[in-house]
Amino acid sequence: RASGEGGLAGRLVLTGSSTVAPLAGEIGRRFERLHPEVRVDVQTGGSSRGIADALSGVADVGMASRALTEAERARGLIAHPIASDVVGLIVHADNPVRALSDEQVVAIYRGEVDDWEELGGRPGPIVVVNKAEGRATLEVFREHFGLALDEIAADVIAGENQQAIKTVAGNVGAIGYVSAGEAAREVEEGASIGLLSRRTPSGATERFPIERPLLLVTPGAPDDLARAWIEFARSPAVRDLVEEARLVPVDS
């Protein structure tokens, strides 16, 4: 985990957010090419895992797709933003419904509307896909729509973004929410999903404004190897990887 005479060397372990992980993996591979004696091990498991592992020392760097809480900062965690993302709602590509209001989304997730015909679609049950507890996407989604965890009427619980995307792509009546950047990439690769727009009170449509930061987190100042990797991950040298991931770069 330290610098040797020939430069950086060692193994760097990152755990946490499945939204941050694909980008961190690409950055890690580029970093390894620059530093052949370094290995970057990226593991998922959700933002809560990343934060817990960083605090306990299981991981050198945690990954989180939400802002740190005051309590987490009070325990010494430091956030290193590398990008920002938008949470988007997705439906099956064959679903003619392409926009929903905030009120309609809340009604769906509370189980008050359970058939697409009530929303202008074809008759058929709505299959509600929710994210598992400990996933930052769930917390960001709940906060935006003012939903309590115990009032969400979920039919399916998904962990990582990929699981939610596959679930929606495999069920014409499903609705879920994931990283919009990852959803856009999957659409380009032929996934049978579509991103929903938000219907405003005036009847116009726009992107759902559910933005969140994507963070690397460390318990205090990182050691030499972790610091070098974080600086690289926040540098112009990987801006192309951030943009290819359909994420918004941040200034270092």
Side-chain angles (χ1 to χ4, degrees):
R1 298 189 182 191
S3 300
E5 292 183 2
L8 293 171
R11 179 170 175 256
L12 191 67
V13 176
L14 292 86
T15 69
S17 166
S18 64
T19 299
V20 181
L23 174 61
E26 291 297 325
I27 293 172
R29 283 184 278 277
R30 184 170 290 183
F31 192 77
E32 289 174 343
R33 288 195 292 271
L34 294 173
H35 305 282
E37 295 186 22
V38 173
R39 289 295 172 265
V40 181
D41 180 5
V42 178
Q43 305 169 21
T44 58
S47 294
S48 293
R49 178 192 173 188
I51 289 168
D53 286 354
L55 285 169
S56 68
V58 171
D60 301 292
V61 180
M63 301 177 290
S65 48
R66 62 162 175 79
L68 294 179
T69 66
E70 289 185 14
E72 289 162 349
R73 291 195 298 270
R75 296 184 67 184
L77 279 184
I78 297 174
H80 311 271
I82 58 169
S84 61
D85 183 30
V86 172
V87 174
L89 284 109
I90 57 172
V91 295
H92 192 278
D94 291 340
N95 190 332
V97 175
R98 279 292 176 265
L100 292 172
S101 67
D102 285 3
E103 293 76 17
Q104 288 172 324
V105 174
V106 169
I108 289 170
Y109 272 81
R110 284 179 175 161
E112 298 165 355
V113 174
D114 59 8
D115 195 292
W116 285 109
E117 188 174 21
E118 299 177 65
L119 302 168
R122 291 188 290 265
I126 299 174
V127 178
V128 176
V129 181
N130 196 35
K131 296 299 286 289
E133 289 189 57
R135 300 285 174 169
T137 316
L138 167 62
E139 299 309 316
V140 172
F141 177 81
R142 287 202 309 109
E143 182 178 343
H144 175 80
F145 289 105
L147 287 163
L149 188 62
D150 60 3
E151 67 179 333
I152 295 177
D155 297 300
V156 180
I157 303 295
E160 299 186 0
N161 286 313
Q162 281 293 324
Q163 184 182 0
I165 289 170
K166 288 178 180 177
T167 299
V168 174
N171 192 317
V172 72
I175 182 172
Y177 54 91
V178 296
S179 160
E182 188 152 357
R185 292 195 304 275
E186 290 295 319
V187 169
E188 289 180 358
E189 294 177 8
S192 297
I193 60 170
L195 272 163
L196 287 176
S197 297
R198 176 178 181 262
R199 183 176 293 112
T200 68
S202 68
T205 58
E206 61 184 14
R207 185 177 67 175
F208 276 97
I210 317 175
E211 297 185 15
R212 56 172 174 178
L214 303 184
L215 309 175
L216 304 174
V217 296
T218 56
D223 64 20
D224 290 348
L225 178 54
R227 184 178 67 252
W229 191 86
I230 290 169
E231 289 174 353
F232 183 71
R234 287 167 48 81
S235 75
V238 300
R239 186 182 182 93
D240 61 318
L241 297 179
V242 176
E243 293 175 344
E244 285 171 11
R246 303 294 186 271
L247 300 170
V248 180
V250 295
D251 295 329
S252 58

